[in-house]
Amino acid sequence: MPQPNRMESREPVINMVGNGVCLGPLDRKLLPLYNLWNNDLQTTRTLASMRPVILEEEILAFDQIMNAKEYLFFTIYEKETLTPIGNTYLSDIDFKNRKAEFNIVIGDHSVRGKGYGTEVTKLVLDYSFQILGLHNIFLRVLEYNKGAIHAYEKAGFKECGRRRQAHFLGGKYWDTIFMDCLSTEFESVLIKDELGL
Ligand SMILES: CC(C)(COP(=O)(O)OP(=O)(O)OC[C@H]1O[C@@H](n2cnc3c(N)ncnc32)[C@H](O)[C@@H]1OP(=O)(O)O)[C@@H](O)C(=O)NCCC(=O)NCCS
């Protein structure tokens, strides 16, 4: 897919291109869409918070994130259609200890289960290790989020611990599983090719 590089292009700005997805910067115009995803129980049921989020909060967070060095956000696009389908980000980026936390939301239900979550996870790991020079990427996932756990394992994450019964939903307590991936355990898939290395 050609990189749009002209001002008249209506295509979104893209940083990385995978097989099925592309990653680009956050886009202020898409805040109402991000806000829909963040209020959809079918998406937030597997996230830490399920409270309503108003658009103004989303705008405020966007402005704060833009200036925060410990965060790095991408919009996820489906490659074929260039439709925005979700967000992924690193939080708590710590360049001294070379670690960060991985997060992902595919807000568009119709494209889940097609391998996109796995590919995004690999792309962000690759970016973290090859470009940012990070060494340990960590994540938290709820034990009933089986699809996410499977996608993370396929991408290279391994369970490294759990906090028992730390999340309440549907009348039950669920474990929060911790997973991590080291730079030394990860084989660069796309970025080395893309950088011509
Ligand atoms: C979690 C999420 C990113 C996964 O994205 P995705 O594109 O659906 O993931 P993939 O298609 O790459 O992989 C999912 C895998 O889990 C499998 N899977 C799905 N449901 C499953 C279940 N109940 N049990 C076991 N495996 C399951 C799928 O078959 C697929 O494996 P396969 O490719 O080997 O067939 C996406 O569902 C999402 O954004 N959910 C809402 C927000 C969220 O939970 N974010 C993560 C918080 S930790």
Side-chain angles (χ1 to χ4, degrees):
M1 196 194 68
Q3 166 71 31
N5 57 5
R6 296 197 183 148
M7 285 307 287
E8 68 266 27
S9 171
R10 284 168 178 264
E11 291 178 354
V13 178
I14 298 296
N15 304 115
M16 276 185 284
V17 182
N19 296 317
V21 293
C22 304
L23 301 184
L26 282 190
D27 184 341
R28 193 180 282 278
K29 289 197 299 301
L30 297 177
L31 281 171
L33 179 61
Y34 305 151
N35 188 238
L36 284 180
W37 296 335
N38 290 333
N39 284 287
D40 173 9
L41 290 189
Q42 284 310 310
T43 295
T44 59
R45 64 179 278 281
T46 47
L47 300 178
S49 168
M50 294 177 75
R51 70 178 184 82
V53 187
I54 58 172
L55 184 58
E56 285 73 13
E57 247 178 294
E58 213 88 57
I59 294 167
L60 199 65
F62 181 89
D63 290 335
Q64 286 168 349
I65 285 160
M66 278 201 320
N67 299 313
K69 289 195 173 55
E70 64 274 23
Y71 285 98
L72 197 144
F73 272 78
F74 291 105
T75 302
I76 307 168
Y77 297 92
E78 188 172 38
K79 182 174 166 182
E80 201 181 308
T81 57
L82 289 179
T83 306
I85 56 169
N87 291 125
T88 183
Y89 63 98
L90 293 173
S91 53
D92 290 327
I93 302 175
D94 171 350
F95 284 107
K96 178 198 171 288
N97 297 301
R98 299 173 60 201
K99 60 182 180 155
E101 181 163 348
F102 172 76
N103 307 267
I104 180 170
V105 170
I106 296 194
D108 182 340
H109 311 177
S110 67
V111 297
R112 290 195 194 139
K114 290 178 151 196
Y116 293 168
T118 307
E119 189 179 30
V120 169
T121 307
K122 282 186 187 165
L123 277 172
V124 175
L125 283 174
D126 218 355
Y127 184 91
S128 303
F129 298 142
Q130 298 294 331
I131 294 181
L132 299 181
L134 298 176
H135 178 56
N136 176 300
I137 304 298
F138 166 82
L139 66 80
R140 283 176 273 196
V141 60
L142 298 167
E143 69 168 308
Y144 57 85
N145 197 355
K146 302 288 184 205
I149 294 166
H150 190 57
Y152 297 151
E153 282 170 347
K154 283 197 298 175
F157 278 97
K158 291 179 191 149
E159 183 172 333
C160 60
R162 59 172 68 206
R163 185 169 184 180
R164 294 170 304 148
Q165 301 185 13
H167 185 83
F168 180 82
L169 186 70
K172 282 176 74 174
Y173 290 101
W174 305 88
D175 291 358
T176 301
I177 297 174
F178 303 143
M179 303 180 86
D180 69 1
C181 180
L182 299 180
S183 59
T184 42
E185 297 166 348
F186 185 79
E187 182 81 34
S188 179
V189 271
L190 288 158
I191 290 201
K192 275 193 174 168
D193 282 354
E194 203 157 318
L195 298 176
L197 300 173

